[in-house]
């Protein structure tokens, strides 16, 4: 990854390019694995290699992923990696035109659906995980009376905390400490609502 910070998507074309269900899945798989070939990703998402290659090129065209150093001896294989340490897109960048706002909302809904599918998959297979993982897993809801400024500060603090744990986990895995280490999804939402 060339950048150490999440890339903030601010243009509609890039948001549209990312906002395809398969591209979102490919980006997530590539982010988790850090590098992969189209063949490896095709196996993970259960799609044809040619289709996966097409969508990887579209992600690359918008600078969301980039070619990685080859990992094997087969020089014909093209390796990919995320171009940044994650992606973000904010309402403030897309509220100035109806098409932008609609696309931002659609991508947000699609992202939420994929996250929900991931969690449903965990719930469906929960019994296959050991007692230690089942005890450590959590789902919580907190309802707090906050101001917009307090919510923004809370969000920043949560992001710093998650990034600290993510960096420590990656460093440990890179150092060979892989015993008992799994990919963990953390889905956090903070939004106002009327009761």
């Amino acid at each position: 990854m060339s950048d150490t910070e999440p890339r903030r998507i601010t243009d509609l074309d890039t948001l549209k390019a990312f906002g395809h269900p398969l591209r979102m899945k490919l980006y997530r798989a590539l982010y988790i694995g850090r590098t992969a070939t189209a063949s490896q990703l095709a196996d993970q998402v259960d799609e044809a290699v040619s289709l996966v290659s097409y969508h990887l090129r579209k992600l690359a065209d918008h600078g969301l992923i980039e070619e990685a150093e080859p990992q094997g001896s087969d020089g014909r294989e093209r390796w990919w990696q995320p171009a940044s340490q994650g992606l973000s897109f904010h309402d403030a960048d897309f509220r100035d035109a109806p098409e932008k706002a609609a696309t931002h909302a659609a991508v947000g809904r699609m992202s939420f659906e994929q996250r929900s599918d991931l969690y449903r998959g965990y719930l469906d297979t929960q019994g296959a995980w050991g007692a230690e993982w089942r005890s450590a897993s959590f789902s919580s809801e907190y309802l707090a009376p906050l101001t917009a400024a307090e919510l923004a500060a809370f969000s920043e603090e949560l992001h710093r905390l998650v990034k600290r744990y993510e960096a420590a986990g990656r460093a440990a895995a890179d150092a060979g400490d892989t015993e008992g280490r799994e990919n963990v999804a953390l889905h956090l939402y903070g939004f106002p609502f009327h009761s």
Side-chain angles (χ1 to χ4, degrees):
M1 289 179 220
S2 6
D3 292 331
T4 58
E5 293 296 319
R7 174 179 171 193
R8 184 169 177 166
I9 297 174
T10 59
D11 67 286
L12 186 60
D13 288 340
T14 302
L15 185 63
K16 284 181 177 180
F18 178 70
H20 183 282
L22 181 55
R23 291 179 198 157
M24 291 174 99
K25 287 180 184 177
L26 291 171
Y27 186 87
R28 179 180 288 115
L30 200 52
Y31 184 84
I32 291 167
R34 297 205 260 185
T35 60
T37 64
S39 297
Q40 291 169 336
L41 292 168
D43 288 343
Q44 290 182 44
V45 298
D46 196 27
E47 294 288 350
V49 175
S50 59
L51 181 64
V52 167
S53 291
Y54 169 80
H55 285 292
L56 289 172
R57 286 191 306 274
K58 291 297 180 189
L59 289 170
D61 287 346
H62 290 275
L64 301 173
I65 66 170
E66 62 191 11
E67 284 194 56
E69 291 293 322
Q71 307 291 312
S73 58
D74 186 353
R76 296 172 298 167
E77 286 187 311
R78 195 174 190 183
W79 287 79
W80 296 97
Q81 66 185 7
S84 61
Q85 190 67 21
L87 302 173
S88 68
F89 38 93
H90 301 268
D91 170 70
D93 298 319
F94 298 99
R95 68 171 79 131
D96 62 332
E99 180 189 9
K100 288 180 174 182
T103 301
H104 178 260
V107 171
R109 279 191 296 277
M110 189 181 314
S111 180
F112 176 76
E113 288 302 319
Q114 287 191 4
R115 292 172 187 163
S116 295
D117 289 345
L118 192 60
Y119 186 57
R120 274 192 285 274
Y122 166 73
L123 292 175
D124 292 345
T125 62
Q126 192 172 7
W129 291 95
E132 187 176 20
W133 277 109
R134 289 194 312 270
S135 294
S137 300
F138 66 91
S139 170
S140 301
E141 179 180 31
Y142 301 96
L143 305 172
L146 304 176
T147 66
E150 290 167 341
L151 181 57
F154 181 71
S155 173
E156 286 298 317
E157 188 174 336
L158 277 175
H159 281 87
R160 283 193 301 273
L161 180 65
V162 169
K163 286 301 191 184
R164 190 177 84 223
Y165 273 88
E166 181 183 21
R170 285 191 185 273
D174 289 347
D177 178 9
T178 57
E179 181 75 26
R181 194 169 299 283
E182 299 286 350
N183 292 315
V184 172
L186 296 167
H187 300 155
L188 306 171
Y189 303 94
F191 53 90
F193 68 95
H194 294 286
S195 54

